[in-house]
Amino acid sequence: MVKGELLASRIPRMRASEIRELLKLLDQPDIISFAGGIPDPALFPAQAYRDAMAAALADDISGVALQYSLSDGYGPLRDWLAGEMAKIGISCGRENILITSGSQQALDYLGKLLLSPGDTALVGWPTYLGALGAFNAYEPRYDRLQPGENRPVADVAAAAEAAGGRVKFAYLSADFANPTGRTVDRAGREQVLDLAEALDIAVIEDAAYQALRYDGEAIPPILALELARRGDIEACRTIYCGSFSKTLAPGLRMGWVCAAQEVISRLVLLKQAADLHSPTINQIATHIVARDHFDSHVPKIREVYRRRRDLMLAALAREMPEGVEWVRPEGGMFVWLTLPEGMDGAMLLVQSLGSERVAFVPGHAFYADGSGRNSIRLSFTLHDKAMMDEGIARLGRLLRNSRPA
Amino acid sequence: MVKGELLASRIPRMRASEIRELLKLLDQPDIISFAGGIPDPALFPAQAYRDAMAAALADDISGVALQYSLSDGYGPLRDWLAGEMAKIGISCGRENILITSGSQQALDYLGKLLLSPGDTALVGWPTYLGALGAFNAYEPRYDRLQPGENRPVADVAAAAEAAGGRVKFAYLSADFANPTGRTVDRAGREQVLDLAEALDIAVIEDAAYQALRYDGEAIPPILALELARRGDIEACRTIYCGSFSKTLAPGLRMGWVCAAQEVISRLVLLKQAADLHSPTINQIATHIVARDHFDSHVPKIREVYRRRRDLMLAALAREMPEGVEWVRPEGGMFVWLTLPEGMDGAMLLVQSLGSERVAFVPGHAFYADGSGRNSIRLSFTLHDKAMMDEGIARLGRLLRNSRPA
């Protein structure tokens, strides 16, 4: 028996996530789930991956594809990604790219790179639940990142010092963030850079949803804006985390980090110590699929998800009782509902699973301080009209029958 | 720019590994390398993986194989592994198995689970370099694990306490260890269990090479011996780390942990926070390959590596000058050479790459205290007779021409 006293000091913070428990519910066929932030498997480029895996395992290359490889990643994939980054204003080379096992792993490594216990991480209220999970292993304190607010920088730094560390980074997803679906405008992005410069901290830009814009004008990534200021990625403090999970498929676990070489080279050492490298074959196959299909595949996904977002927004407008609010997302996978003050998303979920058989994620899971109880996250990626209408109608019925505690 | 003061306290310990630098040398065709502990790619079951990937990406299952999945791993693979564990005396169920991205990841997660800064890890002098790399991220102190030595347990505990922590685990590879090729006999394994009980610590059993026994009698894994003592895996403190890297192929990054459920469930949370799950498709394909080919494939690998071990041992007996010693390994991938006192394996490598073009790993890299300079590690997996003879002859020439500093 491995007793509790043998556990590291970080372990009490590593708790089970509601999302994980909720994913298990997806197996029950009568549930209409708006819970998991998962892509529609019908959109996966399965045929392309079938061909790519066969190519990666052909006689002349299988010895490479099945062998150990370097921790920084497969060169041709890193080159392809550097080319993609250039298209969004981030001029860089292979040496600025690390391949990770999904962007989740990038968040783990960045916590490991930057956080000592008691250091402060600035995150949104709410923010991506998985980022809190990854960072928690390194025992940070959280403070609130609110682009555009007028809180004096010195206060933020002083609060961090009083807690026994210093502010290390600001983490945010600037496009169609999980969970809110909100986008930080250009001015907000510039403010984050100003704040990071004033505090002398890193910026972790989680770009997991960036490619999934359905309307409106694309805004340059934070790293692109910083690069425009400084002229050279090597002078930038922004660390960009990308993912193939939402554009190709998540089951391969393929993501990347784009940053200054000195950051990449340190992350390479962390990756080498943590899992040696991401699976060689997944990198080779993903390179083939990305090179040959990315540009034609992503617009197809956007078209489907745009339609589903519009279906959800239309259903919400029809079904939600007064006092429930939401912001129209320009992309991504989520609509964030703010419920009347006093209502509790977690309680509502329990009721919903009992009576209406609709699943969603209670909002407070996304708050570092556990607040935000009167909010819920809905994902619109999985359902077409009939299920969407039925699910949102059930949710509306539930909300009409619920009263603030 | 991300300045040094932003880095976590662990980072100074995360240094570049000589093995990584050495792997880069493998690209130069005139080098005869005994360095990397890598399997012969000619032995990979490429056709089996080609078929398995096609099966995993067939229309009816590709939506599963390319999708997110649960952090603990693919059920059928966990079931298959539980069956394999039973064959070596470890009766357990799916709930005792976590799928990891190689056993390297298991070591990272176990460091994360058990180590707070200043805690003590007991490791061999020498031990697996990658284990030190993984654990270093959690800032432990190391003390020497020497099965059968007579150092009082109270002294080990007191030294750990004086260093500001406590002993958390003993880490060892009991079969044909990397780097020494040595096997801990049954009495030694029982002594490790006695020590762990006396110190009330966990045992991390790294079984990466266990399936690669070429002669002699198999000895039960430490977890099997503990299970025989306690009667139930749930009462065991031993945490077994397995790997497919040496039996099937490393490029998939497939490993597993077998332990008490309370350990597995905590590791699942760490994995969820760190990378969500190992690639779904790799797990499905590996299950198919393991189920259909493991029992016929592993004996073929053993036959090839047994012959190469014998070739290396014969060449060493022929070529090594007096004063160079080695132990005949009963399995695995390595022969460990102890050079005359005063010689330095790292210096020798520099000379070797300059004149003889033979690569190996200097022994001191495997010592937590940096000692062991008069040793080198040779891997025998990659070469057949002509290259083996030539490489070892070159090494013999180099050693005959070298003098202790």
Side-chain angles (χ1 to χ4, degrees):
Chain A
M1 221 186 113
V2 175
K3 294 183 188 158
E5 68 212 54
L6 285 181
L7 301 177
S9 57
R10 68 180 54 83
I11 296 304
R13 292 183 65 162
M14 308 302 286
R15 290 184 297 267
S17 123
E18 280 167 280
I19 285 204
R20 179 182 154 74
E21 299 308 309
L22 283 168
L23 276 173
K24 295 179 183 169
L25 296 176
L26 297 183
D27 285 342
Q28 301 181 30
D30 69 320
I31 296 257
I32 299 180
S33 179
F34 301 115
I38 62 177
D40 185 341
L43 299 173
F44 294 153
Q47 179 63 50
Y49 264 111
R50 200 148 56 212
D51 296 344
M53 282 289 181
L57 290 166
D59 288 335
D60 58 331
I61 193 180
S62 65
V64 174
L66 295 172
Q67 185 60 289
Y68 288 115
S69 55
L70 295 179
S71 302
D72 40 20
Y74 180 59
L77 180 59
R78 295 165 75 208
D79 289 339
W80 185 87
L81 284 164
E84 288 298 297
M85 298 307 293
K87 291 182 194 168
I88 52 174
I90 299 166
S91 167
C92 67
R94 172 194 289 207
E95 66 280 5
N96 299 110
I97 306 280
L98 167 73
I99 304 298
T100 59
S101 293
S103 60
Q104 185 68 32
Q105 187 176 66
L107 300 179
D108 177 47
Y109 292 167
L110 289 168
K112 209 172 190 176
L113 179 71
L114 298 169
L115 293 172
S116 296
D119 278 338
T120 292
L122 304 182
V123 298
W125 253 230
T127 191
Y128 170 47
L129 172 61
L132 298 177
F135 301 152
N136 278 344
Y138 308 103
E139 301 172 82
R141 163 186 174 267
Y142 295 106
D143 203 345
R144 186 172 182 174
L145 175 70
Q146 183 75 10
E149 80 166 5
N150 282 323
R151 185 162 159 221
V153 166
D155 289 3
V156 177
E161 206 175 320
R166 60 161 287 175
V167 187
K168 289 297 184 71
F169 60 79
Y171 165 82
L172 77 163
S173 191
D175 293 292
F176 340 118
N178 181 357
T180 63
R182 288 201 189 100
T183 296
V184 181
D185 64 14
R186 187 172 183 136
R189 295 176 197 217
E190 296 284 6
Q191 279 163 348
V192 169
L193 285 172
D194 292 342
L195 176 73
E197 201 162 327
L199 286 167
D200 198 6
I201 60 173
V203 175
I204 300 177
E205 175 173 30
D206 184 341
Y209 301 94
Q210 199 168 72
L212 299 185
R213 175 175 280 281
Y214 311 134
D215 41 39
E217 193 81 10
I219 305 169
I222 297 174
L223 178 52
L225 295 173
E226 188 180 10
L227 223 157
R229 288 183 182 196
R230 300 184 195 278
D232 183 356
I233 192 171
E234 302 307 334
C236 289
R237 60 177 77 247
T238 303
I239 303 166
Y240 177 104
C241 303
S243 173
F244 285 112
S245 291
K246 278 70 183 182
T247 50
L248 296 179
L252 281 289
R253 312 303 305 120
M254 284 280 105
W256 70 95
V257 178
C258 178
Q261 272 185 73
E262 66 173 354
V263 171
I264 297 297
S265 64
R266 288 197 184 274
L267 290 174
V268 168
L269 293 179
L270 294 186
K271 183 158 179 67
Q272 184 184 22
D275 71 359
L276 300 184
H277 59 83
S278 289
T280 320
I281 184 167
N282 298 238
Q283 298 186 64
I284 294 177
T286 296
H287 171 244
I288 295 170
V289 173
R291 183 192 64 197
D292 297 346
H293 301 281
F294 195 84
D295 289 345
S296 59
H297 184 69
V298 175
K300 287 183 210 160
I301 297 175
R302 283 197 202 107
E303 193 185 315
V304 173
Y305 290 163
R306 177 192 296 115
R307 190 179 67 238
R308 291 180 182 169
R309 177 203 59 179
D310 292 343
L311 286 170
M312 180 173 273
L313 291 171
L316 287 169
R318 212 163 48 229
E319 302 287 354
M320 287 300 111
E322 204 164 340
V324 176
E325 295 173 356
W326 59 93
V327 175
R328 177 180 181 279
E330 293 191 319
M333 298 187 160
F334 306 108
V335 177
W336 177 252
L337 298 197
T338 304
L339 311 177
E341 199 64 51
M343 287 192 68
D344 183 319
M347 289 291 297
L348 197 71
L349 176 62
V350 173
Q351 293 165 22
S352 176
L353 293 176
S355 63
E356 300 293 349
R357 307 296 281 164
V358 172
F360 47 81
V361 183
H364 74 94
F366 301 95
Y367 282 78
D369 66 348
S371 67
R373 299 203 71 94
N374 62 324
S375 53
I376 63 175
R377 187 194 76 177
L378 304 180
S379 164
F380 53 75
T381 54
L382 285 183
H383 303 303
D384 257 316
K385 184 158 174 44
M387 288 286 267
M388 190 76 84
D389 286 353
E390 173 64 20
I392 298 297
R394 291 189 197 178
L395 186 63
R397 190 164 60 202
L398 181 73
L399 281 163
R400 279 191 303 277
N401 293 334
S402 298
R403 285 284 166 271
Chain B
M1 219 184 116
V2 176
K3 292 182 187 159
E5 68 213 55
L6 284 180
L7 302 178
S9 58
R10 67 179 55 83
I11 295 304
R13 292 183 65 163
M14 308 301 286
R15 289 184 297 267
S17 120
E18 282 168 276
I19 285 202
R20 180 181 152 75
E21 298 309 309
L22 284 168
L23 276 174
K24 294 180 182 168
L25 297 177
L26 297 183
D27 285 342
Q28 302 181 29
D30 69 320
I31 295 257
I32 299 179
S33 179
F34 302 115
I38 62 177
D40 185 340
L43 299 173
F44 293 154
Q47 181 63 49
Y49 264 111
R50 199 147 58 212
D51 296 345
M53 282 290 181
L57 290 167
D59 287 336
D60 58 331
I61 192 181
S62 66
V64 174
L66 295 172
Q67 186 58 289
Y68 287 114
S69 55
L70 294 179
S71 303
D72 42 19
Y74 180 58
L77 180 58
R78 296 165 75 208
D79 288 339
W80 185 87
L81 284 165
E84 289 297 298
M85 298 307 292
K87 291 183 192 167
I88 52 172
I90 299 165
S91 167
C92 67
R94 172 194 287 208
E95 67 280 4
N96 299 109
I97 306 280
L98 167 72
I99 304 298
T100 58
S101 293
S103 60
Q104 185 68 33
Q105 186 174 68
L107 299 179
D108 177 47
Y109 292 167
L110 288 167
K112 210 171 190 177
L113 180 72
L114 297 169
L115 293 171
S116 295
D119 278 339
T120 291
L122 304 182
V123 299
W125 253 230
T127 191
Y128 169 48
L129 172 61
L132 298 177
F135 301 151
N136 278 345
Y138 308 103
E139 303 174 79
R141 164 187 174 267
Y142 295 106
D143 203 343
R144 186 171 182 174
L145 175 71
Q146 184 75 10
E149 80 167 6
N150 281 322
R151 187 165 159 217
V153 165
D155 289 3
V156 177
E161 205 174 318
R166 61 160 286 176
V167 188
K168 288 298 184 70
F169 60 78
Y171 164 82
L172 77 163
S173 189
D175 293 291
F176 341 117
N178 181 356
T180 64
R182 288 202 189 99
T183 295
V184 180
D185 65 14
R186 188 173 182 136
R189 296 175 196 217
E190 296 284 7
Q191 280 163 347
V192 169
L193 286 172
D194 292 341
L195 175 73
E197 201 163 327
L199 286 168
D200 199 6
I201 60 174
V203 175
I204 300 178
E205 176 173 30
D206 184 340
Y209 300 94
Q210 200 168 71
L212 298 185
R213 174 175 281 281
Y214 311 135
D215 41 40
E217 195 79 9
I219 305 168
I222 298 173
L223 178 52
L225 294 173
E226 188 180 13
L227 223 156
R229 288 185 183 195
R230 299 186 196 277
D232 183 356
I233 193 170
E234 302 307 334
C236 289
R237 60 176 78 246
T238 302
I239 302 166
Y240 177 105
C241 304
S243 172
F244 284 112
S245 292
K246 277 70 183 183
T247 50
L248 297 179
L252 280 290
R253 312 303 304 122
M254 282 281 106
W256 70 96
V257 178
C258 179
Q261 272 186 74
E262 65 172 358
V263 171
I264 297 296
S265 63
R266 289 197 183 272
L267 290 174
V268 167
L269 293 179
L270 294 186
K271 184 160 179 66
Q272 185 184 23
D275 71 0
L276 300 184
H277 59 83
S278 290
T280 321
I281 184 168
N282 299 237
Q283 298 186 64
I284 294 177
T286 296
H287 171 244
I288 295 171
V289 173
R291 182 193 65 198
D292 297 346
H293 300 282
F294 195 84
D295 289 345
S296 60
H297 185 69
V298 175
K300 287 183 209 159
I301 297 175
R302 284 198 201 107
E303 194 184 315
V304 173
Y305 289 164
R306 177 192 296 119
R307 191 179 66 237
R308 291 178 182 170
R309 176 203 58 177
D310 293 343
L311 286 170
M312 180 173 273
L313 291 171
L316 287 169
R318 216 165 42 230
E319 303 287 352
M320 287 300 111
E322 202 162 341
V324 177
E325 293 171 0
W326 60 93
V327 175
R328 177 180 182 278
E330 292 192 321
M333 298 187 160
F334 306 109
V335 178
W336 177 251
L337 299 196
T338 305
L339 311 177
E341 198 64 51
M343 286 192 70
D344 183 318
M347 288 291 299
L348 198 71
L349 176 62
V350 173
Q351 293 166 21
S352 176
L353 294 176
S355 62
E356 301 293 349
R357 307 296 281 164
V358 172
F360 47 82
V361 184
H364 75 93
F366 302 94
Y367 283 78
D369 66 348
S371 66
R373 300 203 72 95
N374 61 323
S375 52
I376 62 176
R377 187 194 77 177
L378 304 180
S379 164
F380 53 76
T381 53
L382 286 183
H383 304 304
D384 257 316
K385 184 157 174 44
M387 288 286 267
M388 190 76 84
D389 286 352
E390 173 64 22
I392 298 297
R394 290 188 197 178
L395 186 62
R397 189 164 59 202
L398 180 74
L399 282 163
R400 278 192 304 276
N401 293 335
S402 298
R403 286 282 165 273

